[in-house]
Amino acid sequence: MKYQTLEKKKSVLLPTNAKVLRALGENLKLARKRRKLTLVQVAERAGIARSTLWLIEKGDPGVAMSAYLQVLFVLGLEKDLLKVATDDLLGRKLQDAKLLSKPGKDIK
């Protein structure tokens, strides 16, 4: 019986997106250090390997979003994730432009 090996797909990011992930990792590292917590402490509390936390703090795109969320939770910052896209300026401008371009329709 032949077995196929599954190759792990590497995430490919645009340079600007990679920069954002690195900044997130650095922010998480600073938050951990401000709380005077070690890599081992946060990793244990988050239920992840120390090496995974190290990758998170480097902004590695191959780490699961759930691991990032666990670290945010341990640091008491999980609700910060809810702020993503709450101020969607581009979406509102696009929506408003579409609403204004409908001739003969009044907004009630």
Side-chain angles (χ1 to χ4, degrees):
M1 184 172 201
K2 293 183 180 180
Y3 292 97
Q4 290 181 338
T5 57
L6 297 176
E7 293 182 28
K8 185 176 179 183
K9 290 183 181 180
K10 184 165 175 112
S11 298
V12 179
L13 293 178
L14 295 172
T16 53
N17 292 341
K19 189 175 180 179
V20 168
L21 258 183
R22 284 192 304 272
L24 173 61
E26 187 175 310
N27 289 345
L28 291 172
K29 183 176 185 175
L30 289 170
R32 174 181 61 79
K33 288 186 172 214
R34 282 187 211 108
R35 288 158 178 75
K36 297 183 181 1
L37 295 170
T38 67
L39 274 168
V40 172
Q41 289 171 318
V42 173
E44 285 178 354
R45 293 174 189 179
I48 60 175
R50 186 178 54 84
S51 58
T52 301
L53 179 55
W54 185 82
L55 290 171
I56 288 171
E57 290 185 352
K58 295 291 180 198
D60 189 288
V63 178
M65 179 89 173
S66 58
Y68 277 91
L69 182 57
Q70 283 299 107
V71 172
L72 285 164
F73 176 77
V74 169
L75 298 173
L77 300 170
E78 73 280 4
K79 290 199 167 92
D80 284 4
L81 202 53
L82 296 174
K83 295 177 186 175
V84 173
T86 56
D87 294 325
D88 183 11
L89 297 178
L90 176 60
R92 287 191 184 140
K93 285 180 182 180
L94 291 170
Q95 187 179 36
D96 291 349
K98 187 176 180 181
L99 292 172
L100 291 175
S101 69
K102 292 182 179 179
K105 301 233 177 179
D106 291 334
I107 299 174
K108 296 180 181 180

